Amino acid sequence: MVRVGWVSIGDEVGAEFLPSKMFGPSTPIVTLARQNDLNIEAVDIHDLSTDARVTTGRCMVFSGSKVTDNDPCTQSKEARFRSKEYFVMNHIWPSGGKTVIEAFEGVYKINGAETEIEFVRRWENEDPIGRVMNQQAALDKAVDWHSNCWRNPASGNLFCYQKYYDQDYRMRGLD
């Protein structure tokens, strides 16, 4: 099998990217065939794989440090790489409501309004929002977590998607 890329940090740590690891489970094997393995081909993997990355976690909305919404939810993340990188993350609430985050060249939008990304990590116990998220993770029996948050400029509220990791997933360094 031909490797499609190599990423390294200095001479010590590296990772090989094999074609079989670059496609979602619904990608038909026949679409991965090449005419000639000796000829190198550059193909945007998003042309061959239509899978969106779906994770489950917890959606929270904060007004100041007070939680106004707190529900398990699903994040569907799609990336498109043409001339520039573009992400769309749909957060589906149990009610069927949706919070949409877009990212294009470092500019974020929440439900169409420009915003900034904020990060909350489990070890940030001094922050009131971090404390609330730690308490929720403990109730959900989560081993590890992190959260990305975006402030809605219209309401002033902070929307956060808290993503949980199990020990094996975190130790492999996958995200």
Side-chain angles (χ1 to χ4, degrees):
M1 188 173 278
V2 178
R3 77 174 172 222
V4 294
W6 180 261
V7 176
S8 66
I9 302 170
D11 295 328
E12 303 296 320
V13 180
E16 186 175 25
F17 293 98
L18 301 172
S20 62
K21 304 294 183 194
M22 303 298 282
F23 301 95
S26 69
T27 305
I29 298 265
V30 71
T31 65
L32 304 178
R34 300 186 307 192
Q35 295 295 322
N36 181 345
D37 276 347
L38 298 177
N39 290 337
I40 296 173
E41 294 179 63
V43 177
D44 184 341
I45 65 168
H46 295 90
D47 290 340
L48 301 177
S49 178
T50 57
D51 288 347
R53 185 166 175 208
V54 178
T55 59
T56 56
R58 185 160 289 276
C59 289
M60 295 181 168
V61 176
F62 293 86
S63 177
S65 60
K66 182 180 179 225
V67 180
T68 60
D69 270 317
N70 178 359
D71 284 305
C73 65
T74 302
Q75 180 192 66
S76 171
K77 183 176 182 180
E78 297 180 47
R80 295 289 174 242
F81 302 88
R82 295 291 176 251
S83 60
K84 303 287 183 192
E85 185 176 54
Y86 174 74
F87 287 97
V88 176
M89 295 165 279
N90 293 302
H91 301 84
I92 313 300
W93 294 77
S95 66
K98 191 187 313 186
T99 302
V100 179
I101 305 297
E102 298 172 88
F104 181 69
E105 293 187 325
V107 176
Y108 290 90
K109 291 183 179 179
I110 182 168
N111 298 330
E114 197 167 312
T115 187
E116 299 286 326
I117 189 168
E118 299 178 30
F119 303 100
V120 182
R121 305 291 186 247
R122 69 174 166 77
W123 55 83
E124 296 170 337
N125 289 327
E126 305 307 315
D127 180 73
I129 292 172
R131 278 197 299 275
V132 168
M133 290 186 173
N134 268 329
Q135 291 167 354
Q136 184 61 57
L139 289 172
D140 291 340
K141 297 180 174 55
V143 174
D144 195 7
W145 64 271
H146 82 260
S147 185
N148 295 332
C149 302
W150 300 268
R151 189 162 307 280
N152 185 324
S155 67
N157 291 340
L158 188 67
F159 167 78
C160 297
Y161 177 68
Q162 186 176 25
K163 187 173 174 181
Y164 293 149
Y165 297 92
D166 64 32
Q167 190 67 23
D168 292 336
Y169 189 78
R170 185 174 60 86
M171 293 304 287
R172 287 197 309 264
L174 301 173
D175 184 18

